[in-house]
Amino acid sequence: MIFLLHGAYYGPEIWGEFPKLLSRRVGQPVEAVDLRPTIGSFEERVQRLGHTVSKSEGQGAVIVAHSLGGIFAAEVLARWPNLIDKAVYVAAYLPQSGQSVADLARLDSESKVPTVRSSTSIPGFATIDAKGAAYILFHDLPQDLANKLASQAQPQPTADFKQVSPQGPSTPIASSYVVCTKDRAIGPTLQRKMAQTANCDPILQIDAGHMPMVAAPEKLTKTISQIL
């Protein structure tokens, strides 16, 4: 079974029709896991993810992590490596042991996120304004759709970005990486560096921005199917 981990500011619905496309292509069930902070603390979300993945134990579970979903993948691989056969990172943060997403973001001279991310009226949360989200996350979509999706951004706990990886992707799990060459949220240079540091193999790329599941779902489906 394949589990999709979404990134910051959005929930599992951001995957759109991609789960159906991927499932048809590879002949496996695909589930988009809900990791939104409305479910609970970081620890509660990790436990929920572990419980969800455990349902397919012994059936070749695969995690596909996007963006901030990389830190959740790192937690699952560190705590329950026996549950996962493969991990695929798509424009995702891939922290090493002792690193946080914030640490990695500081290395990213190509990212445009720091210019638009803002705090909210909710203490301890941040979001990305609609105009910035359209420009950074959805710039390779038709403008009307980009604006619609950008307006749906949700607050994200700032603590998620400071969460330190307990072990990083150093567990003996086959890991692959899909670099998005037009990404304005996580620069392609940092993506490649993280993938190489983690010894991901293969490291593939697609000509898309940060949200290929909605901007280039067919391309992403084809690329991930090559890995699986």
Side-chain angles (χ1 to χ4, degrees):
M1 187 166 184
I2 301 171
F3 298 93
L4 307 179
L5 312 187
H6 63 81
Y9 311 120
Y10 291 88
E13 70 281 350
I14 196 61
W15 291 98
E17 293 297 307
F18 175 75
K20 294 180 181 178
L21 293 174
L22 183 61
S23 181
R24 285 199 298 265
R25 178 127 190 166
V26 301
Q28 295 186 47
V30 177
E31 178 178 346
V33 183
D34 192 344
L35 297 172
R36 289 174 295 182
T38 50
I39 291 172
S41 66
F42 182 84
E43 177 61 26
E44 289 169 332
R45 283 174 281 157
V46 170
Q47 291 293 335
R48 176 189 174 98
L49 176 57
H51 175 72
T52 299
V53 172
S54 70
K55 293 185 296 185
S56 69
E57 186 174 5
Q59 299 178 21
V62 176
I63 280 185
V64 177
H66 173 252
S67 196
L68 186 68
I71 188 67
F72 288 95
E75 288 282 346
V76 172
L77 294 181
R79 299 186 192 194
W80 306 289
N82 60 303
L83 298 180
I84 309 298
D85 279 1
K86 292 182 181 180
V88 181
Y89 299 89
V90 180
Y93 285 110
L94 189 44
Q96 294 295 313
S97 178
Q99 277 187 323
S100 67
V101 167
D103 293 331
L104 290 169
R106 282 190 284 270
L107 304 175
D108 192 354
S109 61
E110 297 172 328
S111 175
K112 304 299 182 183
V113 171
T115 65
V116 299
R117 195 171 67 194
S118 59
S119 60
T120 69
S121 58
I122 309 172
F125 282 74
T127 190
I128 184 168
D129 67 70
K131 183 177 180 181
Y135 172 72
I136 294 171
L137 304 179
F138 304 108
H139 63 92
D140 51 347
L141 282 170
Q143 194 62 52
D144 287 349
L145 180 56
N147 291 340
K148 178 182 177 180
L149 293 174
S151 69
Q152 297 172 1
Q154 304 164 24
Q156 190 76 29
T158 54
D160 287 353
F161 302 103
K162 301 174 184 177
Q163 183 71 35
V164 173
S165 176
Q167 187 170 331
S170 57
T171 51
I173 304 296
S175 299
S176 307
Y177 201 105
V178 180
V179 175
C180 293
T181 61
K182 293 183 177 179
D183 202 329
R184 294 176 179 175
I186 304 176
T189 299
L190 178 61
Q191 290 182 43
R192 292 189 183 93
K193 181 177 180 179
M194 290 187 294
Q196 291 165 356
T197 300
N199 296 314
C200 290
D201 184 24
I203 300 173
L204 305 177
Q205 67 179 40
I206 57 175
D207 190 26
H210 190 63
M211 296 291 195
M213 68 286 284
V214 289
E218 294 285 356
K219 284 184 182 178
L220 184 59
T221 299
K222 181 179 179 180
T223 302
I224 291 181
S225 68
Q226 293 174 13
I227 295 170
L228 303 181

Coordinates of all heavy atoms in Angstrom, one line a residue, residues 130-212:
A130 N -2.3 34.5 0.5 CA -2.8 34.0 -0.8 C -2.0 34.4 -2.0 O -1.7 33.6 -2.9 CB -4.3 34.4 -0.9
K131 N -1.6 35.7 -2.0 CA -0.8 36.2 -3.1 C 0.5 35.5 -3.2 O 1.0 35.0 -4.3 CB -0.6 37.7 -3.0 CG 0.1 38.3 -4.2 CD 0.2 39.8 -4.1 CE 0.9 40.4 -5.3 NZ 1.1 41.9 -5.1
G132 N 1.1 35.3 -2.1 CA 2.4 34.6 -2.0 C 2.3 33.2 -2.4 O 3.2 32.6 -3.1
A133 N 1.3 32.5 -1.9 CA 1.1 31.1 -2.2 C 0.9 30.9 -3.7 O 1.4 29.9 -4.3 CB -0.1 30.5 -1.4
A134 N 0.1 31.8 -4.3 CA -0.1 31.6 -5.8 C 1.2 31.8 -6.5 O 1.5 31.0 -7.5 CB -1.1 32.7 -6.2
Y135 N 2.0 32.7 -6.1 CA 3.3 32.9 -6.8 C 4.4 31.8 -6.5 O 5.1 31.4 -7.4 CB 3.9 34.3 -6.3 CG 5.3 34.5 -6.8 CD1 5.5 34.8 -8.1 CD2 6.4 34.5 -5.9 CE1 6.8 35.1 -8.6 CE2 7.7 34.8 -6.3 CZ 7.9 35.0 -7.7 OH 9.2 35.3 -8.1
I136 N 4.4 31.3 -5.3 CA 5.4 30.4 -4.9 C 5.0 28.9 -5.1 O 5.8 28.1 -5.6 CB 5.8 30.6 -3.4 CG1 6.4 32.0 -3.2 CG2 6.7 29.5 -2.9 CD1 6.7 32.4 -1.8
L137 N 3.8 28.6 -4.7 CA 3.4 27.2 -4.7 C 2.7 26.7 -6.0 O 2.7 25.6 -6.4 CB 2.4 26.9 -3.5 CG 3.0 27.2 -2.1 CD1 1.9 26.9 -1.0 CD2 4.3 26.5 -1.8
F138 N 1.9 27.7 -6.6 CA 1.1 27.3 -7.7 C 1.3 28.1 -9.0 O 0.5 28.3 -9.8 CB -0.4 27.5 -7.3 CG -0.8 26.7 -6.0 CD1 -1.0 27.4 -4.9 CD2 -0.9 25.3 -6.1 CE1 -1.4 26.7 -3.7 CE2 -1.2 24.6 -4.9 CZ -1.5 25.3 -3.7
H139 N 2.6 28.6 -9.1 CA 2.9 29.5 -10.3 C 2.8 28.8 -11.6 O 2.7 29.4 -12.7 CB 4.2 30.1 -10.1 CG 5.4 29.1 -10.1 ND1 6.0 28.7 -11.3 CD2 5.9 28.4 -9.1 CE1 6.9 27.8 -11.0 NE2 6.9 27.6 -9.7
D140 N 2.8 27.4 -11.7 CA 2.7 26.7 -12.9 C 1.3 26.2 -13.2 O 1.1 25.3 -14.0 CB 3.8 25.6 -13.0 CG 3.8 24.7 -11.8 OD1 3.2 25.0 -10.8 OD2 4.4 23.6 -11.9
L141 N 0.3 26.8 -12.5 CA -1.1 26.4 -12.7 C -1.8 27.6 -13.4 O -1.3 28.7 -13.3 CB -1.8 26.1 -11.4 CG -1.5 24.8 -10.7 CD1 -2.1 24.8 -9.3 CD2 -2.2 23.7 -11.5
P142 N -2.9 27.4 -14.1 CA -3.7 28.5 -14.6 C -4.0 29.4 -13.4 O -4.3 29.0 -12.3 CB -5.0 27.8 -15.1 CG -4.5 26.4 -15.5 CD -3.5 26.1 -14.4
Q143 N -4.0 30.7 -13.7 CA -4.1 31.7 -12.6 C -5.4 31.5 -11.8 O -5.3 31.7 -10.5 CB -4.1 33.1 -13.2 CG -3.9 34.2 -12.2 CD -2.5 34.1 -11.5 OE1 -1.5 34.0 -12.1 NE2 -2.5 34.1 -10.1
D144 N -6.5 31.3 -12.4 CA -7.7 31.1 -11.6 C -7.6 30.0 -10.6 O -8.0 30.1 -9.4 CB -8.9 30.9 -12.5 CG -9.3 32.1 -13.3 OD1 -8.8 33.2 -12.9 OD2 -10.2 32.0 -14.2
L145 N -7.1 28.8 -11.1 CA -6.9 27.7 -10.2 C -5.9 28.0 -9.1 O -6.0 27.6 -7.9 CB -6.6 26.4 -11.0 CG -6.4 25.1 -10.2 CD1 -7.6 24.8 -9.3 CD2 -6.0 24.0 -11.1
A146 N -4.8 28.6 -9.5 CA -3.7 29.0 -8.6 C -4.3 29.9 -7.4 O -4.0 29.6 -6.3 CB -2.6 29.7 -9.3
N147 N -5.1 30.8 -7.8 CA -5.7 31.7 -6.8 C -6.6 31.0 -5.9 O -6.7 31.2 -4.7 CB -6.4 32.9 -7.5 CG -5.5 33.8 -8.2 OD1 -4.3 33.9 -7.9 ND2 -6.0 34.6 -9.1
K148 N -7.4 30.1 -6.5 CA -8.4 29.3 -5.7 C -7.6 28.4 -4.6 O -8.0 28.4 -3.4 CB -9.2 28.4 -6.6 CG -10.2 27.5 -5.8 CD -11.0 26.6 -6.8 CE -11.9 25.7 -6.0 NZ -12.7 24.8 -6.9
L149 N -6.6 27.7 -5.1 CA -5.9 26.9 -4.1 C -5.1 27.7 -3.1 O -5.0 27.3 -1.9 CB -4.9 25.9 -4.9 CG -5.6 24.9 -5.8 CD1 -4.6 24.1 -6.6 CD2 -6.4 23.9 -4.9
A150 N -4.5 28.8 -3.6 CA -3.8 29.7 -2.7 C -4.6 30.2 -1.5 O -4.2 30.3 -0.4 CB -3.2 30.8 -3.4
S151 N -5.9 30.5 -1.8 CA -6.8 31.0 -0.8 C -7.2 30.0 0.3 O -7.8 30.3 1.3 CB -8.1 31.5 -1.5 OG -8.9 30.5 -2.0
Q152 N -6.9 28.7 0.0 CA -7.2 27.6 0.9 C -6.1 27.3 1.9 O -6.3 26.3 2.7 CB -7.6 26.4 0.1 CG -8.9 26.6 -0.7 CD -9.1 25.4 -1.7 OE1 -8.4 24.4 -1.7 NE2 -10.2 25.5 -2.5
A153 N -5.0 28.0 1.9 CA -3.9 27.8 2.8 C -4.4 27.9 4.3 O -5.2 28.8 4.6 CB -2.8 28.7 2.5
Q154 N -3.9 27.0 5.1 CA -4.3 26.9 6.5 C -3.1 27.2 7.4 O -1.9 27.0 7.0 CB -4.8 25.5 6.8 CG -6.0 25.1 5.9 CD -6.3 23.6 5.9 OE1 -5.9 22.9 6.9 NE2 -6.8 23.1 4.8
P155 N -3.3 27.6 8.6 CA -2.2 27.9 9.6 C -1.5 26.6 9.9 O -2.1 25.5 10.0 CB -3.0 28.4 10.8 CG -4.3 28.9 10.3 CD -4.6 28.0 9.2
Q156 N -0.2 26.7 10.1 CA 0.7 25.6 10.4 C 1.5 25.9 11.7 O 2.0 27.0 11.8 CB 1.7 25.3 9.3 CG 2.5 24.0 9.4 CD 1.6 22.8 9.0 OE1 0.7 22.9 8.2 NE2 2.0 21.7 9.6
P157 N 1.6 25.0 12.6 CA 2.4 25.2 13.8 C 3.8 25.5 13.5 O 4.5 24.8 12.8 CB 2.2 23.9 14.6 CG 1.0 23.3 14.1 CD 1.0 23.6 12.7
T158 N 4.4 26.6 14.0 CA 5.8 26.9 13.8 C 6.7 25.9 14.4 O 7.8 25.7 13.9 CB 6.1 28.3 14.3 OG1 5.8 28.4 15.7 CG2 5.3 29.4 13.6
A159 N 6.2 25.2 15.4 CA 7.0 24.1 16.0 C 7.3 23.0 15.1 O 8.3 22.3 15.2 CB 6.3 23.6 17.3
D160 N 6.4 22.8 14.1 CA 6.7 21.7 13.1 C 8.0 22.0 12.3 O 8.7 21.0 12.0 CB 5.5 21.6 12.1 CG 4.3 21.0 12.7 OD1 4.3 20.5 13.8 OD2 3.3 21.0 12.0
F161 N 8.3 23.2 12.1 CA 9.5 23.6 11.3 C 10.7 23.5 12.2 O 11.8 23.4 11.6 CB 9.3 25.0 10.7 CG 8.2 25.2 9.9 CD1 7.0 25.9 10.3 CD2 8.1 24.7 8.6 CE1 5.9 26.1 9.5 CE2 7.0 24.9 7.7 CZ 5.9 25.6 8.2
K162 N 10.6 23.5 13.5 CA 11.7 23.4 14.4 C 11.9 22.0 14.9 O 12.9 21.7 15.7 CB 11.5 24.4 15.6 CG 11.3 25.8 15.1 CD 10.9 26.7 16.3 CE 10.7 28.1 15.8 NZ 10.2 29.0 17.0
Q163 N 11.0 21.1 14.6 CA 11.1 19.7 15.0 C 12.4 19.1 14.5 O 12.7 19.0 13.3 CB 9.9 18.9 14.6 CG 9.9 17.5 15.0 CD 9.5 17.4 16.5 OE1 8.8 18.2 17.0 NE2 10.1 16.4 17.2
V164 N 13.2 18.5 15.4 CA 14.5 18.0 15.1 C 14.3 16.5 14.7 O 13.7 15.7 15.4 CB 15.5 18.1 16.2 CG1 16.8 17.3 15.9 CG2 15.8 19.6 16.5
S165 N 14.9 16.1 13.6 CA 14.8 14.7 13.2 C 15.6 13.8 14.2 O 16.7 14.1 14.5 CB 15.4 14.5 11.8 OG 15.4 13.2 11.4
P166 N 14.9 12.7 14.6 CA 15.6 11.9 15.6 C 16.7 11.0 15.0 O 17.6 10.7 15.7 CB 14.4 11.0 16.1 CG 13.5 10.9 14.9 CD 13.6 12.2 14.2
Q167 N 16.6 10.7 13.8 CA 17.6 9.8 13.2 C 17.9 10.1 11.7 O 18.9 9.7 11.2 CB 17.0 8.4 13.3 CG 18.0 7.3 12.8 CD 17.5 5.9 13.2 OE1 16.8 5.7 14.2 NE2 17.9 4.9 12.4
G168 N 17.0 10.9 11.1 CA 17.2 11.1 9.7 C 16.9 9.9 8.8 O 16.5 8.9 9.4
P169 N 17.1 10.0 7.5 CA 16.8 8.9 6.6 C 17.9 7.9 6.6 O 18.2 7.3 5.5 CB 16.6 9.6 5.3 CG 17.6 10.7 5.4 CD 17.6 11.2 6.8
S170 N 18.6 7.6 7.7 CA 19.7 6.7 7.7 C 19.3 5.2 8.0 O 20.2 4.4 8.0 CB 20.7 7.2 8.8 OG 20.1 7.2 10.1
T171 N 18.0 5.0 8.2 CA 17.6 3.6 8.3 C 17.7 2.9 7.0 O 17.7 3.4 6.0 CB 16.1 3.6 8.8 OG1 15.3 4.4 7.9 CG2 16.0 4.1 10.2
P172 N 17.8 1.5 7.1 CA 18.1 0.7 5.9 C 16.8 0.6 5.0 O 16.3 -0.5 4.8 CB 18.5 -0.6 6.4 CG 17.9 -0.7 7.8 CD 17.9 0.7 8.3
I173 N 16.2 1.7 4.6 CA 15.1 1.7 3.8 C 15.4 2.3 2.4 O 16.1 3.3 2.3 CB 13.9 2.6 4.4 CG1 13.6 2.1 5.8 CG2 12.7 2.6 3.5 CD1 13.0 0.8 5.9
A174 N 15.0 1.6 1.3 CA 15.3 2.1 0.0 C 14.6 3.5 -0.2 O 13.3 3.6 -0.1 CB 14.7 1.1 -1.0
S175 N 15.3 4.5 -0.4 CA 14.8 5.8 -0.6 C 15.1 6.4 -1.9 O 16.2 6.2 -2.5 CB 15.4 6.8 0.5 OG 15.0 6.3 1.8
S176 N 14.1 7.2 -2.5 CA 14.3 7.8 -3.8 C 13.8 9.3 -3.6 O 13.1 9.6 -2.7 CB 13.5 7.1 -4.9 OG 13.7 5.7 -4.9
Y177 N 14.2 10.1 -4.6 CA 13.9 11.5 -4.5 C 13.5 12.0 -5.9 O 14.1 11.7 -6.9 CB 15.0 12.3 -4.0 CG 14.7 13.7 -3.4 CD1 14.6 13.9 -2.1 CD2 14.3 14.7 -4.2 CE1 14.3 15.1 -1.5 CE2 13.9 15.9 -3.7 CZ 13.9 16.1 -2.3 OH 13.5 17.3 -1.8
V178 N 12.4 12.8 -5.9 CA 11.9 13.4 -7.1 C 12.1 14.9 -7.0 O 11.5 15.6 -6.2 CB 10.4 13.1 -7.4 CG1 10.0 13.8 -8.7 CG2 10.2 11.6 -7.6
V179 N 13.1 15.5 -7.7 CA 13.4 16.9 -7.7 C 12.4 17.7 -8.6 O 12.2 17.2 -9.8 CB 14.8 17.2 -8.1 CG1 15.1 18.7 -8.2 CG2 15.8 16.5 -7.2
C180 N 11.8 18.7 -8.1 CA 11.0 19.6 -8.9 C 11.8 20.8 -9.4 O 12.2 21.6 -8.6 CB 9.8 20.0 -8.2 SG 8.6 18.7 -7.8
T181 N 12.1 20.9 -10.7 CA 13.1 21.8 -11.2 C 12.6 23.3 -11.2 O 13.4 24.2 -11.3 CB 13.5 21.4 -12.6 OG1 12.4 21.5 -13.5 CG2 14.1 20.0 -12.6
K182 N 11.3 23.5 -11.1 CA 10.8 24.9 -11.1 C 10.3 25.3 -9.7 O 9.6 26.3 -9.6 CB 9.6 25.0 -12.1 CG 10.0 24.8 -13.6 CD 8.8 25.0 -14.5 CE 9.3 25.0 -15.9 NZ 8.1 25.1 -16.9
D183 N 10.7 24.6 -8.7 CA 10.2 24.8 -7.3 C 10.7 26.2 -6.8 O 11.9 26.5 -6.8 CB 10.7 23.7 -6.4 CG 9.9 23.5 -5.2 OD1 9.3 24.6 -4.7 OD2 9.7 22.4 -4.7
R184 N 9.7 26.9 -6.3 CA 10.1 28.2 -5.7 C 10.0 28.2 -4.1 O 10.3 29.1 -3.4 CB 9.1 29.3 -6.2 CG 9.3 29.6 -7.6 CD 8.3 30.7 -8.1 NE 8.5 31.0 -9.5 CZ 7.7 31.8 -10.2 NH1 6.6 32.4 -9.6 NH2 7.9 32.1 -11.5
A185 N 9.5 27.0 -3.6 CA 9.4 26.9 -2.2 C 10.6 26.2 -1.6 O 11.2 26.7 -0.6 CB 8.1 26.0 -1.8
I186 N 11.0 25.1 -2.2 CA 12.3 24.4 -1.8 C 13.1 24.4 -3.0 O 12.8 23.7 -4.0 CB 12.0 23.0 -1.2 CG1 11.0 23.0 -0.1 CG2 13.3 22.4 -0.8 CD1 10.7 21.7 0.4
G187 N 14.2 25.1 -3.0 CA 15.0 25.3 -4.2 C 15.5 23.9 -4.7 O 15.9 23.0 -3.9
P188 N 15.6 23.8 -6.0 CA 16.1 22.5 -6.6 C 17.5 22.1 -6.2 O 17.8 21.0 -6.0 CB 16.0 22.8 -8.1 CG 15.0 23.8 -8.3 CD 15.1 24.7 -7.1
T189 N 18.3 23.2 -5.9 CA 19.7 22.9 -5.5 C 19.7 22.2 -4.1 O 20.4 21.2 -3.9 CB 20.5 24.2 -5.5 OG1 20.6 24.8 -6.8 CG2 21.9 23.9 -5.0
L190 N 18.9 22.7 -3.2 CA 18.8 22.1 -1.9 C 18.2 20.7 -2.0 O 18.6 19.8 -1.3 CB 18.0 23.0 -1.0 CG 17.8 22.4 0.5 CD1 19.1 22.2 1.2 CD2 16.9 23.3 1.3
Q191 N 17.2 20.6 -2.9 CA 16.5 19.2 -3.0 C 17.6 18.2 -3.4 O 17.7 17.1 -2.9 CB 15.5 19.3 -4.1 CG 14.2 20.1 -3.7 CD 13.1 20.1 -4.7 OE1 12.9 19.0 -5.3 NE2 12.5 21.2 -5.0
R192 N 18.4 18.5 -4.4 CA 19.4 17.6 -4.9 C 20.5 17.3 -3.8 O 20.9 16.2 -3.6 CB 20.1 18.2 -6.1 CG 19.2 18.2 -7.4 CD 20.0 18.6 -8.6 NE 19.1 18.7 -9.8 CZ 18.6 19.9 -10.2 NH1 18.9 21.0 -9.5 NH2 17.8 19.9 -11.2
K193 N 20.8 18.4 -3.1 CA 21.8 18.2 -2.0 C 21.3 17.3 -0.9 O 22.0 16.4 -0.4 CB 22.2 19.5 -1.4 CG 23.2 19.5 -0.3 CD 23.6 20.8 0.3 CE 24.6 20.7 1.4 NZ 25.0 22.1 1.9
M194 N 20.0 17.5 -0.5 CA 19.4 16.6 0.5 C 19.4 15.1 0.0 O 19.6 14.2 0.8 CB 18.0 17.1 0.9 CG 18.0 18.4 1.6 SD 16.4 18.9 2.3 CE 15.5 19.2 0.7
A195 N 19.0 15.0 -1.2 CA 18.8 13.6 -1.8 C 20.2 12.9 -1.9 O 20.3 11.7 -1.5 CB 18.2 13.7 -3.2
Q196 N 21.2 13.7 -2.3 CA 22.6 13.1 -2.4 C 23.1 12.7 -1.0 O 23.7 11.7 -0.8 CB 23.5 14.0 -3.1 CG 23.1 14.2 -4.6 CD 23.8 15.4 -5.2 OE1 24.5 16.2 -4.6 NE2 23.6 15.6 -6.5
T197 N 22.9 13.6 0.0 CA 23.4 13.4 1.3 C 22.7 12.2 1.9 O 23.4 11.4 2.7 CB 23.1 14.6 2.2 OG1 23.7 15.8 1.7 CG2 23.6 14.4 3.7
A198 N 21.5 11.9 1.6 CA 20.7 10.8 2.1 C 20.9 9.5 1.3 O 20.3 8.5 1.6 CB 19.3 11.1 2.2
N199 N 21.8 9.6 0.2 CA 22.1 8.5 -0.6 C 20.8 7.9 -1.3 O 20.6 6.7 -1.5 CB 22.8 7.4 0.1 CG 24.1 7.8 0.7 OD1 24.9 8.4 -0.1 ND2 24.4 7.5 1.9
C200 N 19.9 8.8 -1.7 CA 18.7 8.4 -2.4 C 19.1 7.9 -3.8 O 20.0 8.4 -4.5 CB 17.8 9.6 -2.6 SG 17.0 10.2 -1.1
D201 N 18.4 6.8 -4.2 CA 18.7 6.2 -5.5 C 17.5 5.5 -6.0 O 17.0 4.5 -5.3 CB 19.9 5.2 -5.3 CG 20.3 4.6 -6.7 OD1 20.0 5.2 -7.7 OD2 20.9 3.5 -6.6
P202 N 16.9 5.9 -7.1 CA 17.4 7.0 -7.9 C 17.0 8.4 -7.5 O 16.1 8.5 -6.6 CB 16.7 6.7 -9.3 CG 15.4 6.1 -8.9 CD 15.6 5.3 -7.6
I203 N 17.6 9.4 -8.1 CA 17.2 10.8 -7.9 C 16.7 11.2 -9.3 O 17.5 11.3 -10.2 CB 18.4 11.7 -7.5 CG1 19.0 11.2 -6.1 CG2 18.0 13.1 -7.4 CD1 20.2 11.9 -5.7
L204 N 15.4 11.4 -9.4 CA 14.8 11.8 -10.7 C 14.4 13.2 -10.6 O 14.4 13.8 -9.5 CB 13.7 10.8 -11.0 CG 14.0 9.3 -11.0 CD1 12.7 8.5 -11.2 CD2 15.0 9.0 -12.0
Q205 N 13.9 13.8 -11.7 CA 13.4 15.1 -11.7 C 12.3 15.3 -12.7 O 12.2 14.5 -13.6 CB 14.5 16.1 -12.0 CG 15.1 16.1 -13.5 CD 16.1 17.1 -13.7 OE1 17.0 17.4 -12.9 NE2 16.1 17.7 -14.9
I206 N 11.4 16.2 -12.4 CA 10.3 16.6 -13.3 C 10.3 18.1 -13.4 O 10.7 18.8 -12.5 CB 9.0 16.1 -12.8 CG1 8.6 16.6 -11.4 CG2 8.9 14.5 -12.8 CD1 7.2 16.2 -11.0
D207 N 9.9 18.6 -14.5 CA 9.8 20.0 -14.9 C 8.5 20.5 -14.3 O 7.5 20.7 -15.0 CB 9.9 20.2 -16.4 CG 10.1 21.6 -16.8 OD1 10.6 22.4 -16.0 OD2 9.6 22.0 -17.9
A208 N 8.5 20.9 -13.0 CA 7.3 21.3 -12.3 C 7.7 22.1 -11.1 O 8.8 22.1 -10.7 CB 6.4 20.1 -11.9
G209 N 6.7 22.9 -10.6 CA 6.9 23.6 -9.4 C 6.7 22.8 -8.1 O 6.8 21.6 -8.2
H210 N 6.4 23.5 -7.0 CA 6.3 22.8 -5.8 C 5.1 21.8 -5.6 O 5.2 20.9 -4.7 CB 6.3 23.8 -4.6 CG 6.5 23.2 -3.3 ND1 7.7 22.5 -2.9 CD2 5.7 23.1 -2.2 CE1 7.6 22.1 -1.7 NE2 6.4 22.4 -1.2
M211 N 4.1 22.0 -6.4 CA 2.9 21.2 -6.2 C 2.6 20.4 -7.5 O 1.6 20.5 -8.1 CB 1.7 22.1 -5.9 CG 1.8 22.8 -4.6 SD 1.6 21.7 -3.2 CE 1.3 22.8 -1.8
P212 N 3.5 19.4 -7.8 CA 3.3 18.7 -9.0 C 2.1 17.8 -9.0 O 1.6 17.4 -10.1 CB 4.6 17.8 -9.1 CG 5.0 17.7 -7.7 CD 4.7 19.0 -7.0

